[in-house]
Amino acid sequence: MTGASEGNGLHHHLRRMTGRDPYEEHRVATPLELLFDLTFVISFGVAASQLAHALSEGHLGTGLLGFGIAGFAICWAWTNFSWFSSAYDTDDWLFRVVTMVQMSGVLVLGLGLPRMFASIEHGAHLDAGMMVAGYVIMRLAMVFQWLRAAWQDPARREATWIYAIIVSAVQIGWVALVALAPPFGVALALYVLLGLGEVAAPMLAERRTGTPWHAHHIAERYSLFAIIALGEGIVGTVAALSAVVADQGWTLDAALACIAGMGLTFGMWWVYYMLPSAEILHHHRNRAFPWAYGQLAIITAIVATGAGLHVAAYFIEHKAHIGALATILCVALPVGIFLAVVYALYAYLVRRFDPFHFWLLLATMAVIILAVVAAANGVGMTTCLLIVTLAPLVTVIGYELLGHRHKQEVLAEQAVEDPKS
């Protein structure tokens, strides 16, 4: 056995970083990984709060652009660590200390988000200096980890060196961009190019030997990250409920606000876990990259839904500078994006189209449109939120009645297919 299993976990002396067994049984997230995830609660909270504030003020461009930059930065910081950990977690004292350094970088990244949003609103230049400082902290630690793997795992030295080189080069680009402080439009274009460089690194590094990431482990890691994101839905629910109680007291609307927020969060959680991620990736590792990039869209949509619930709270408190229609769109659109991406990822993973899914998605989108129409026609905000809550419920009911049979058939087929298909 290799990795963290050496020494039976009785000590954390240095161990050789030769890579974990990608088919290790009962591989689950470690306490260190769970602790690492907690640092992203802060970053997601700040990003959602900034988005909600911008949208409630009617600053749509500021909110969407700032949240897009923030969402990518946060998710990619998590992605870098999690895939490396899935492949090379030794759980020795050095790995733990370096992970603590990365956690510190995540906190610095989160602290830089308000400045970035403010700079977009003023439009002179893009102030991401503190965010990049957080990335510098994380990347120095990450490059050290890749170099350690390159030294101690000769069989995969090509892949680990590619990671180390590209991560270093892109980080130098981020630092140069902040130091040069070009005009806003130029900076934004360069951010896009550097972002493409970030996502290209895994595809280039994993082409040949690759790294020994674990399919079930990485699927679990993303599911836990989704739960962190869903926490913003609970925060938004509390905000909406507090707004109703402060405005009207403990009324029927207060009960509806609670049901809507918690029902929506719970429904999205239920839908997310319908994805057969671990089972498919176990047999078809080559499907990992599109799946992982799709996960970024899912996670950001979940956080945006929580922000939308917070916008609804501003509206109920009469603090929003937008109308009921715009407010309900702040919730309905990210929910629609979340559901659409989940369906798309499901179809991509199983490589088979089920007509029943088409009708389910159509009915789901019809519910979202109904909520928007209701808001446009003066229906109360809590009632509109309750209608949006029914959107994931359509998928849940359809899956539990019939959809699970399709999933069972597909998984049985995938298990016997050629993994190189």
Side-chain angles (χ1 to χ4, degrees), residues 13 15 25 30 35 57 119 174 187 216 234 256 264 289 304 324 363 376 406 419:
H13 300 170
R15 302 184 177 111
E25 294 184 0
T30 66
L35 181 63
E57 292 292 324
S119 70
W174 290 121
H216 286 81
I234 296 176
L256 292 177
L264 185 58
F289 289 123
H406 175 264

Side-chain angles (χ1 to χ4, degrees), residues 143-162:
V143 170
F144 172 83
Q145 296 280 49
W146 283 118
L147 291 176
R148 182 185 175 192
W151 175 40
Q152 298 181 343
D153 186 16
R156 302 181 182 91
R157 185 162 292 163
E158 179 183 357
T160 51
W161 264 110
I162 290 174

Side-chain angles (χ1 to χ4, degrees), residues 31-51:
L32 179 60
E33 289 174 318
L34 300 179
L35 181 63
F36 178 81
D37 288 354
L38 287 180
T39 59
F40 289 86
V41 174
I42 304 299
S43 296
F44 275 148
V46 174
S49 176
Q50 291 292 317
L51 174 62

Side-chain angles (χ1 to χ4, degrees), residues 24-340:
E24 177 184 342
E25 294 184 0
H26 311 299
R27 175 79 186 275
V28 295
T30 66
L32 179 60
E33 289 174 318
L34 300 179
L35 181 63
F36 178 81
D37 288 354
L38 287 180
T39 59
F40 289 86
V41 174
I42 304 299
S43 296
F44 275 148
V46 174
S49 176
Q50 291 292 317
L51 174 62
H53 176 74
L55 294 178
S56 66
E57 292 292 324
H59 300 160
L60 180 63
T62 297
L64 294 182
L65 180 57
F67 184 73
I69 294 173
F72 175 78
I74 295 168
C75 290
W76 199 250
W78 180 89
T79 299
N80 279 198
F81 168 81
S82 297
W83 283 85
F84 179 87
S85 180
S86 185
Y88 286 107
D89 181 7
T90 56
D91 197 33
D92 56 19
W93 69 263
L94 183 56
F95 184 90
R96 289 186 167 201
V97 170
V98 175
T99 299
M100 183 191 68
V101 173
Q102 291 178 276
M103 292 168 63
S104 302
V106 176
L107 297 181
V108 175
L109 167 67
L111 292 173
L113 294 178
R115 290 173 56 178
M116 184 269 293
F117 273 88
S119 70
I120 293 175
E121 186 170 353
H122 294 102
H125 71 285
L126 197 56
D127 184 359
M130 188 172 291
M131 293 175 62
V132 170
Y135 255 73
V136 169
I137 296 171
M138 288 184 286
R139 288 304 174 72
L140 287 175
M142 195 73 258
V143 170
F144 172 83
Q145 296 280 49
W146 283 118
L147 291 176
R148 182 185 175 192
W151 175 40
Q152 298 181 343
D153 186 16
R156 302 181 182 91
R157 185 162 292 163
E158 179 183 357
T160 51
W161 264 110
I162 290 174
Y163 271 116
I165 292 170
I166 296 180
V167 169
S168 300
V170 175
Q171 186 58 56
I172 291 172
W174 290 121
V175 173
L177 185 56
V178 170
L180 295 173
F184 186 85
V186 176
L188 189 59
L190 292 174
Y191 265 72
V192 173
L193 289 176
L194 289 169
L196 292 175
E198 295 277 6
V199 300
M203 292 186 288
L204 294 173
E206 300 282 346
R207 283 183 306 173
R208 297 175 64 179
T209 55
T211 55
W213 53 270
H214 192 288
H216 286 81
H217 174 257
I218 202 66
E220 183 195 25
R221 294 293 293 120
Y222 274 96
S223 69
L224 294 173
F225 197 42
I227 289 177
I228 294 290
L230 284 166
E232 290 307 313
I234 296 176
V235 172
T237 299
V238 171
L241 179 60
S242 299
V244 173
V245 172
D247 186 58
Q248 305 173 14
W250 288 97
T251 62
L252 178 60
D253 271 355
L256 292 177
C258 183
I259 293 171
M262 288 307 301
L264 185 58
T265 302
F266 193 78
M268 294 173 76
W269 167 82
W270 198 319
V271 169
Y272 179 88
Y273 276 88
M274 293 176 186
L275 281 172
S277 301
E279 299 91 334
I280 298 298
L281 295 180
H282 180 76
H283 295 285
H284 303 277
R285 293 172 68 85
N286 60 324
R287 300 180 190 177
F289 289 123
W291 170 83
Y293 297 147
Q295 291 287 327
L296 302 184
I298 288 176
I299 299 298
T300 51
I302 291 173
V303 178
T305 301
L309 289 171
H310 212 136
V311 174
Y314 283 133
F315 179 85
I316 294 169
E317 292 177 311
H318 310 291
K319 295 180 180 179
H321 293 84
I322 57 175
L325 176 58
T327 299
I328 204 64
L329 283 172
C330 291
V331 182
L333 285 179
V335 171
I337 292 171
F338 165 81
L339 292 168

